[in-house]
């Protein structure tokens, strides 16, 4: 495989970049086609060639650009991240310009669980993507089933998650502080406002928890609204917005947070959830199928059935949970199912199959 060249197509998100860095040693050259400039790490391998493109759905001219790139580098294998416009334009370019190559499509979650519900055009787009690639991967059994519903005649579907890159040998519970952590994007889908409202009720009705802090990482279109909400609730001293974090800083917050909350209305397996669980945070998650693949309610976390009662779930956890015992169980669970070093060979094997 070291003599091969591969094209990786996807956004310049941290998840894509991590994957790019991980597979770089296994290829002679990687052609990375993305939507914009990306933060190139100092240790970036010199076998990566980057091209930027406008992947907006209506920008059909990008298909010719993609085709020219694939032809210039004589690409025989293309790995696409997300079954949205990234996949559509790439697969259309391969089809229209009759490029002889194999393709792998890795689905992320919203592309399968949300995008098709936005209208018939988007549903057809996703179905086209699924039906015109050689191999599909998803990160949860639930999403694999949803893919099969959308494209019953699609080719092989493999359930593989990226997993944690730097997994701790053990969880040091002595580092834990009275911190509740949320690091999902500030979009309606993720219900960050429900977490803030629950936290407000929690410390108002339980004076002995007044020293607890809510750390809200990430950002998004609702950030200003959420900051205003915190100010109106008088929580300026109890809620900290820390923005988009480096991976190192995020890991440091996982290490000290006692509870991690993630309440998306829809999602596939979240890397943030896996990381938080692996670093000993007690998870309180929304009741969606992908979360149920990792957490059994009352066993190794809590499944919130009602966002309006989230404060009760937090309080119950603080009163009844053996955090050290749960953290050890979850550390072993992630170690068995979601370590990147263990899962990467599964992706490399797919490349070999093609």
């Amino acid at each position: 495989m070291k003599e091969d060249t591969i094209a990786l197509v996807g956004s310049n998100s941290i998840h894509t970049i991590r994957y790019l860095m991980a597979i770089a040693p296994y290829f002679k050259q990687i052609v990375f086609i993305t939507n914009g400039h990306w933060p190139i790490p100092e240790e970036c391998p010199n076998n990566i060639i980057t091209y930027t493109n406008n992947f907006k759905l209506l920008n059909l001219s990008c298909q010719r650009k993609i085709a020219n790139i694939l032809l210039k580098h004589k690409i025989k294998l293309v790995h696409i991240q997300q079954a949205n416009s990234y996949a559509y334009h790439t697969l259309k370019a391969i089809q229209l310009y009759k490029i002889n190559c194999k393709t792998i499509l890795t689905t992320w979650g919203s592309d399968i669980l949300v995008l098709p519900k936005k209208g018939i055009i988007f549903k057809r787009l996703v179905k086209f993507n699924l039906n015109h690639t050689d191999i599909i991967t998803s990160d949860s059994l639930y999403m694999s089933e949803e893919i099969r519903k959308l494209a019953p005649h699609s080719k092989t579907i493999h359930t593989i998650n990226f997993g944690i890159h730097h997994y701790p040998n053990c969880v040091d519970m002595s580092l834990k502080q009275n911190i509740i952590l949320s690091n999902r994007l500030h979009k309606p889908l993720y219900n960050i406002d429900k977490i803030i409202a629950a936290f407000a009720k929690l410390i108002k009705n339980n004076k002995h928890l007044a020293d607890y802090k809510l750390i809200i990482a990430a950002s998004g279109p609702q950030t200003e609204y959420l900051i205003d909400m915190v100010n109106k609730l008088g929580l300026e001293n109890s809620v900290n917005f820390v923005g988009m974090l480096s991976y190192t800083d995020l890991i440091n917050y996982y290490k000290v947070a006692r509870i991690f909350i993630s309440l998306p209305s829809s999602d596939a397996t979240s890397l943030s959830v896996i990381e938080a669980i692996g670093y000993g945070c007690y998870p309180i998650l929304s009741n969606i199928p992908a979360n149920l693949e990792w957490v059994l309610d009352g066993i190794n976390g809590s499944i919130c059935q009602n966002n309006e009662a989230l404060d009760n779930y937090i309080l119950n956890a603080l009163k009844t949970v053996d955090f050290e015992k749960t953290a050890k169980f979850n550390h072993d669970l992630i170690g068995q199912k979601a370590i990147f070093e263990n899962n990467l060979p599964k992706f490399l094997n797919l490349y070999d199959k093609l």
Side-chain angles (χ1 to χ4, degrees):
M1 186 181 297
K2 185 65 178 178
E3 300 303 315
D4 295 336
T5 297
I6 186 175
L8 182 68
V9 181
S11 70
N12 59 351
S13 80
I14 185 63
H15 301 309
T16 311
I17 303 307
R18 287 182 197 166
Y19 186 79
L20 173 65
M21 293 297 102
I23 65 172
Y26 298 92
F27 290 91
K28 182 178 180 181
Q29 186 178 77
I30 299 179
V31 176
F32 181 37
I33 310 176
T34 187
N35 61 319
H37 296 291
W38 53 286
I40 301 176
E42 293 181 2
E43 68 277 12
C44 181
N46 59 10
N47 63 333
I48 299 173
I49 301 174
T50 302
Y51 292 90
T52 58
N53 206 346
N54 178 0
F55 282 92
K56 289 184 177 179
L57 183 56
L58 297 181
N59 183 32
L60 301 182
S61 64
C62 81
Q63 295 172 12
R64 175 184 288 274
K65 184 175 181 180
I66 294 170
N68 288 339
I69 295 169
L70 298 181
L71 291 169
K72 175 183 177 180
H73 293 279
K74 299 179 181 179
I75 299 295
K76 297 298 182 182
L77 176 60
V78 181
H79 189 169
I80 309 166
Q81 303 287 334
Q82 292 184 281
N84 50 23
S85 60
Y86 290 98
Y88 178 75
H89 286 311
T90 303
L91 294 170
K92 267 295 184 181
I94 292 170
Q95 182 186 67
L96 292 174
Y97 293 88
K98 297 180 172 58
I99 299 173
N100 182 24
C101 65
K102 297 294 185 179
T103 57
I104 295 177
L105 174 58
T106 291
T107 56
W108 281 26
S110 61
D111 48 353
I112 300 300
L113 305 176
V114 177
L115 188 59
K117 298 176 183 178
K118 290 187 175 181
I120 187 64
I121 292 177
F122 292 107
K123 186 174 184 178
R124 287 178 178 175
L125 177 145
V126 174
K127 292 177 72 171
F128 172 87
N129 295 336
L130 297 174
N131 285 317
H132 287 82
T133 190
D134 294 296
I135 289 178
I136 301 167
T137 75
S138 84
D139 61 16
S140 68
L141 295 172
Y142 168 64
M143 191 159 68
S144 294
E145 179 60 26
E146 292 301 305
I147 290 171
R148 185 63 69 193
K149 291 177 183 178
L150 283 166
H153 302 297
S154 59
K155 298 181 181 178
T156 309
I157 302 171
H158 295 265
T159 304
I160 313 172
N161 64 69
F162 288 151
I164 297 179
H165 282 253
H166 304 290
Y167 193 58
N169 292 326
C170 61
V171 176
D172 186 353
M173 296 301 289
S174 68
L175 297 176
K176 295 298 182 181
Q177 301 174 26
N178 291 344
I179 290 175
I180 297 171
L181 176 65
S182 163
N183 70 343
R184 308 309 301 274
L185 291 175
H186 302 176
K187 296 181 177 181
L189 175 68
Y190 295 102
N191 296 302
I192 308 300
D193 56 337
K194 302 297 185 184
I195 298 175
I196 294 172
F199 181 75
K201 287 194 290 183
L202 180 74
I203 62 174
K204 177 182 178 181
N205 298 329
N206 302 275
K207 301 302 181 183
H208 64 290
L209 301 178
D211 63 332
Y212 264 80
K213 301 291 184 183
L214 172 62
I215 302 297
I216 300 179
S219 61
Q222 285 193 316
T223 298
E224 292 304 318
Y225 159 73
L226 295 172
I227 292 174
D228 185 57
M229 179 181 179
V230 166
N231 291 336
K232 288 180 178 178
L233 289 169
L235 297 173
E236 302 93 328
N237 296 326
S238 299
V239 179
N240 295 334
F241 289 85
V242 295
M244 299 300 294
L245 299 170
S246 68
Y247 188 62
T248 299
D249 288 340
L250 180 57
I251 293 301
N252 287 334
Y253 273 113
Y254 288 142
K255 288 179 178 178
V256 299
R258 196 176 307 280
I259 291 177
F260 175 83
I261 302 178
S262 178
L263 296 180
S265 302
S266 177
D267 205 358
T269 292
S270 165
L271 183 57
S272 294
V273 169
I274 294 174
E275 289 173 338
I277 292 175
Y279 278 90
C281 303
Y282 181 82
I284 300 179
L285 311 177
S286 55
N287 185 22
I288 57 175
N291 286 341
L292 301 182
E293 294 181 25
W294 296 96
V295 168
L296 294 176
D297 187 31
I299 303 299
N300 66 323
S302 298
I303 298 299
C304 182
Q305 308 286 347
N306 177 7
N307 290 347
E308 304 303 325
L310 174 61
D311 58 308
N312 292 329
Y313 285 88
I314 301 172
L315 184 61
N316 183 64
L318 293 173
K319 286 181 176 180
T320 65
V321 170
D322 184 333
F323 289 109
E324 188 163 356
K325 181 179 179 181
T326 303
K328 185 182 186 308
F329 178 93
N330 283 338
H331 182 268
D332 293 343
L333 172 69
I334 300 303
Q336 294 169 16
K337 296 179 60 179
I339 302 302
F340 184 77
E341 288 77 7
N342 296 338
N343 290 349
L344 178 60
K346 299 176 183 178
F347 284 102
L348 298 178
N349 288 337
L350 293 183
Y351 295 154
D352 287 335
K353 287 182 179 180
L354 293 175

